Amino acid sequence: MNSMKLGLVGIGKIARDQHVPALARSIDFDLCAAASRHNRLEGVDHYPNVEEMLAARPELDAVSLCTPPDGRYEQAAAVLRAGKHLMLEKPPAATVSEIEALALMAAASGVTLCATWHSREAAEVDAARDWLAGKRIAAVRIRWKEDIRQWHPGQDWILAAGGFGVFDPGINALSIATQILPDPLVVTGAVLSVPTNRVSPIAASIALRTGDAPVAAEFDFLQTGQQSWDIEVDTDAGVLRLRDGGSRLELPDAAPLAGPNEEYARLYRRFAELVRAGESDVDLRPLQLVADAFLVGERRVVEPFDF
């Protein structure tokens, strides 16, 4: 089957680090156009915004949006109105209501909408889910701590309204937890630490439950030195440890498992499968948990933060 012509919107760090290399190796998609206000990709036709890209390139089959969530709704709606299949970088939208509206729009237009959660595609997430199936969960601990200056240098938008703050990486942990745990997650409380000169939290502690088991999640954007992207699950068969963002799995009485980083290659393969099957994939659970944390969270003001 011929590859599909794809336009990439938003040429920032995540696009350059992950999307462009994955597309370069893809047999499903041909990256033939890009839209960005500030950046360009060498060898790819460039447009200042998604509307001009769509108008100039009607032959596009699909679009991948890598822009920040705030303001993405209008871009996504333009793509769907043009009848193009759409893939969304996480988080899929700034609000739950936005992505629900986009899902309805995609269905009405007869095109595929794929809301991606790249951390679910980490090498050992599926194996962790399979091992936990049928086991009794006693407790879960999530530690997602990284250095904002290393991973989001100078990106002020991430701490602005609609930028999600520490939930931008934290939602990756929630996307894995909702994938591997047998029972749904429910938020019971949260503490959100917001710098005096910012709007979104730079750290957060969230209390949740899954079944009758407590879940404690700690998110921190000020972690220096060794970074932590770990989930531990106490079960009646021992402790499961999923480390390094889902790429390393430690099980009781077994050698550790570790696979290669192919998250974005898997995302684009999944997107192609959905397009060819005429289906969409819009799982809102991680975004709903973040929204719930904001709803019930206690806001604490902390010292100012500057890059």
Side-chain angles (χ1 to χ4, degrees):
M1 184 175 292
N2 293 334
S3 60
M4 291 175 275
K5 295 180 174 63
L6 182 134
L8 186 64
V9 181
I11 311 303
K13 189 175 189 299
I14 192 66
R16 292 186 182 277
D17 290 353
Q18 300 292 346
H19 289 261
V20 173
L23 286 165
R25 299 189 299 270
S26 175
I27 62 172
D28 298 304
F29 295 100
D30 176 20
L31 175 58
C32 58
S36 173
R37 289 179 297 174
H38 307 296
N39 301 313
R40 293 175 177 264
L41 292 175
E42 185 176 352
V44 179
D45 290 345
H46 174 79
Y47 303 90
N49 54 61
V50 65
E51 291 83 4
E52 292 191 34
M53 183 184 75
L54 292 168
R57 303 299 295 270
E59 75 277 14
L60 289 176
D61 299 297
V63 171
S64 182
L65 273 184
C66 305
T67 53
D70 187 36
R72 189 188 292 169
Y73 175 81
E74 290 76 13
Q75 298 169 329
V79 173
L80 296 175
R81 283 195 296 266
K84 311 301 181 184
H85 306 293
L86 178 60
M87 175 169 147
L88 298 172
E89 175 60 71
K90 66 86 195 173
T95 66
V96 175
S97 57
E98 283 186 353
I99 187 61
E100 287 181 330
L102 292 173
L104 292 173
M105 194 179 302
S109 299
V111 296
T112 290
L113 178 61
C114 180
T116 67
W117 301 106
H118 68 82
S119 290
R120 286 182 175 174
E121 305 300 334
E124 302 305 333
V125 170
D126 288 347
R129 177 200 60 207
D130 294 345
W131 190 84
L132 287 172
K135 294 185 172 60
R136 185 180 65 80
I137 308 300
V140 182
R141 294 170 296 280
I142 300 171
R143 291 185 292 271
W144 226 255
K145 301 182 178 185
E146 63 181 56
D147 186 351
I148 186 175
R149 292 184 174 94
Q150 176 180 346
W151 300 100
H152 299 276
Q155 295 180 13
D156 287 291
W157 64 266
I158 207 167
L159 292 173
F164 282 63
V166 76
F167 286 102
D168 182 81
I171 204 169
N172 295 334
L174 298 175
S175 73
I176 293 176
T178 51
Q179 185 80 344
I180 67 174
L181 295 172
D183 294 317
L185 282 161
V186 176
V187 175
T188 59
V191 176
L192 313 179
S193 299
V194 183
T196 58
N197 60 337
R198 304 289 178 171
V199 176
S200 290
I202 202 159
S205 299
I206 305 100
L208 310 96
R209 296 196 71 79
T210 178
D212 60 358
V215 179
E218 296 291 333
F219 302 152
D220 191 352
F221 241 162
L222 297 175
Q223 177 86 347
T224 58
Q226 184 174 355
Q227 314 285 279
S228 302
W229 302 288
D230 303 326
I231 298 175
E232 296 181 347
V233 184
D234 296 341
T235 80
D236 54 353
V239 181
L240 173 147
R241 295 179 175 88
L242 191 59
R243 303 198 183 280
D244 299 332
S247 65
R248 180 180 175 86
L249 178 62
E250 300 173 7
L251 298 173
D253 302 320
L257 301 173
N261 179 5
E262 296 181 346
E263 293 178 14
Y264 281 82
R266 292 182 61 177
L267 285 180
Y268 278 102
R269 286 197 295 269
R270 172 64 174 156
F271 184 32
E273 291 169 357
L274 289 169
V275 170
R276 288 166 179 153
E279 299 174 353
S280 289
D281 184 359
V282 184
D283 183 358
L284 301 183
R285 289 176 295 167
L287 184 60
Q288 288 169 330
L289 292 173
V290 171
D292 287 350
F294 275 101
L295 280 171
V296 304
E298 173 191 348
R299 187 178 185 274
R300 294 184 180 175
V301 176
V302 298
E303 64 184 23
F305 172 84
D306 292 296
F307 285 97

